[in-house]
Amino acid sequence: MLLLRQTARASVRRPSPLLALRQSYSAAAKPTPASTPAAAATTTSSTTSTTESARETKDNKLTATEEVKEEEKPKETYDEQQKRLKREEKGYAFGANHWNLERASAVGLIPLLSTQFVYGPQPIVDGLLGVVLPYHIYMGFDSCITDYIPKRVYPRGYKAAMWTLRLSFALTMWGCYEFNTNDIGITEAVQRIWTA
């Protein structure tokens, strides 16, 4: 860190590249008594060395400035990193959250299905099954799409598959709602299938 500050201070003490460049142009523009080819070659080489020193000064100053800028960048906090990873759908947090939601929907189906067998058809169970069962299916297909149509390999295919999945999920939820409200309901249909 101390070295970076010393480099930055040293670059301030050096003449600016523009000044060196102006001096090289003004030296080249001055009329010289170039009566001999040797004198002309000397003038050209001095102009070239001045231009090269101006370029080196400019490169050194840019390097020192870049080092200072890298040091000045604010560090990303843990919360900011988690938000960025969630937006990008990367990292262990996204995978762990997805896994937890899958398991919660699977565990939620156990009491719903057992309640149906113990107490018979219930409208509350119909409504909950109409939400939890399609969500559980959605999460399962989402995992399949993520595994077999990865976003980094097939970006268009992944996007098309996810939109198809979302559309089918919405239609399934709507179908469950219609079946539960305007027909016999999910639990009654399952009971009739088992007793048929």
Side-chain angles (χ1 to χ4, degrees), residues 19-194:
L19 182 62
L21 193 59
R22 277 190 210 147
Q23 289 173 350
S24 67
Y25 285 137
S26 63
K30 287 181 183 177
T32 57
S35 57
T36 63
T42 308
T43 306
T44 306
S45 66
S46 68
T47 305
T48 306
S49 65
T50 308
T51 306
E52 288 176 2
S53 66
R55 285 183 190 153
E56 288 175 6
T57 305
K58 184 178 181 181
D59 290 340
N60 290 340
K61 186 173 182 181
L62 286 176
T63 305
T65 308
E66 288 171 359
E67 290 173 355
V68 171
K69 284 182 181 178
E70 287 178 9
E71 184 180 319
E72 292 174 0
K73 289 181 181 176
K75 297 284 184 174
E76 187 177 38
T77 64
Y78 179 76
D79 293 334
E80 290 171 348
Q81 180 186 18
Q82 292 303 316
K83 287 178 184 176
R84 180 178 53 81
L85 290 175
K86 189 172 184 179
R87 278 193 312 267
E88 296 174 2
E89 295 182 356
K90 289 182 184 175
Y92 70 90
F94 177 74
N97 187 33
H98 194 273
W99 189 86
N100 289 336
L101 290 173
E102 283 180 348
R103 297 302 162 255
S105 65
V107 170
L109 284 172
I110 295 169
L112 291 175
L113 294 175
S114 61
T115 303
Q116 171 195 350
F117 290 118
V118 174
Y119 297 109
Q122 298 289 326
I124 294 173
V125 176
D126 282 341
L128 291 174
L129 273 175
V131 173
V132 176
L133 187 62
Y135 182 72
H136 180 71
I137 294 168
Y138 170 81
M139 294 299 284
F141 277 110
D142 183 29
S143 295
C144 291
I145 290 171
T146 302
D147 290 342
Y148 296 110
I149 310 174
K151 191 178 193 178
R152 66 183 179 279
V153 179
Y154 309 105
R156 291 181 183 159
Y158 176 82
K159 194 173 186 178
M162 287 305 293
W163 277 106
T164 304
L165 178 63
R166 290 179 188 128
L167 180 66
S168 61
F169 172 66
L171 290 173
T172 304
M173 291 280 287
W174 178 67
C176 287
Y177 171 76
E178 287 293 323
F179 188 68
N180 285 333
T181 55
N182 298 329
D183 208 345
I184 58 175
I186 295 174
T187 54
E188 180 70 27
V190 170
Q191 188 175 13
R192 286 185 185 183
I193 290 171
W194 277 95

